Amino acid sequence: GDSVTQMEGPVTLSEEAFLTINCTYTATGYPSLFWYVQYPGEGLQLLLKATKADDKGSNKGFEATYRKETTSFHLEKGSVQVSDSAVYFCALPRDTDKLIFGTGTRLQVFP
Amino acid sequence: DSGVTQTPKHLITATGQRVTLRCSPRSGDLSVYWYQQSLDQGLQFLIQYYNGEERAKGNILERFSAQQFPDLHSELNLSSLELGDSALYFCASRSEGTDTQYFGPGTRLTVL
């Protein structure tokens, strides 16, 4: 069945370091792909999305490119800040658009 | 602010009890989704409603039920609560013609 696989966390970085959080998916067809972020004590916020192959979603300095050939949607940021500390979820919509989520990757950024 | 509201923010109750969680979708959104976030199961889809009708069911226990009212708000009812039902419950809504879901802040349920 359809699934999303994320890299294990936590990812621990110093401020201004480069971030990559890996996400791969298994799905029939070519669904949209999403990254959601959950800051401590808060709900899920949409971070970015891509709707078709080779699309790049971007927001708040984060980017992710929809790679059909590698079935991947890795999240990247060139220079992380302490305020980026959160849990990041990769997701894809299936059936009547219910979301299938990865397990989440916790990012901790230290000054 | 996503425009999706959920109440209450926190709920503490005892085993065997029944609770109701409430969600108001973004203005004009007909689709409402409920998800459960727990440490051992991660984020799991529970149920979807569209304009008052149940559209899809996921991993929802028989002790749980939901409905969507004519004003489009939705309620998730959890009964005969067990310790394992302690989790964060999210509601999300989606606009017609898009596949993007916007989430509410969640209700944290603690069953003691």
Side-chain angles (χ1 to χ4, degrees), chain B residues 7-81:
Chain B
T7 56
K9 193 172 175 64
H10 300 280
L11 202 46
I12 301 174
T13 188
T15 54
Q17 294 298 303
R18 173 189 171 92
V19 297
T20 297
L21 283 52
R22 182 188 169 102
C23 166
S24 292
R26 298 190 317 158
S27 178
D29 286 359
L30 302 178
S31 289
V32 170
Y33 302 77
W34 286 96
Y35 293 86
Q36 179 194 59
Q37 184 180 33
S38 62
L39 284 174
D40 53 345
Q41 298 285 339
L43 268 162
Q44 299 276 322
F45 166 72
L46 293 178
I47 196 164
Q48 178 200 1
Y49 275 80
Y50 177 81
N51 200 21
E53 300 290 325
E54 181 184 301
R55 175 66 67 90
K57 264 186 174 179
N59 300 321
I60 188 166
L61 299 171
E62 285 192 15
R63 300 183 285 108
F64 296 1
S65 65
Q67 56 187 131
Q68 186 179 26
F69 295 86
D71 68 352
L72 300 178
H73 91 271
S74 178
E75 293 181 356
L76 179 67
N77 301 295
L78 315 176
S79 61
S80 303
L81 286 167

Side-chain angles (χ1 to χ4, degrees), chain A residues 43-84:
Chain A
L44 288 167
Q45 296 178 25
L46 177 67
L47 181 60
L48 54 83
K49 68 176 282 189
T51 57
K52 59 184 188 296
D54 300 324
D55 257 7
K56 177 185 282 188
S58 61
N59 187 25
K60 298 181 182 180
F62 290 89
E63 293 182 339
T65 301
Y66 191 152
R67 302 281 188 204
K68 184 178 67 174
E69 62 278 9
T70 55
T71 62
S72 65
F73 192 53
H74 304 324
L75 183 68
E76 297 181 335
K77 186 174 186 183
S79 176
V80 293
Q81 305 301 310
V82 172
S83 58
D84 294 326

Side-chain angles (χ1 to χ4, degrees), chain A residues 14-28:
Chain A
S14 298
E15 211 165 22
E16 299 183 4
F18 184 85
L19 168 71
T20 300
I21 298 178
N22 291 338
C23 170
T24 57
Y25 66 91
T26 303
T28 52

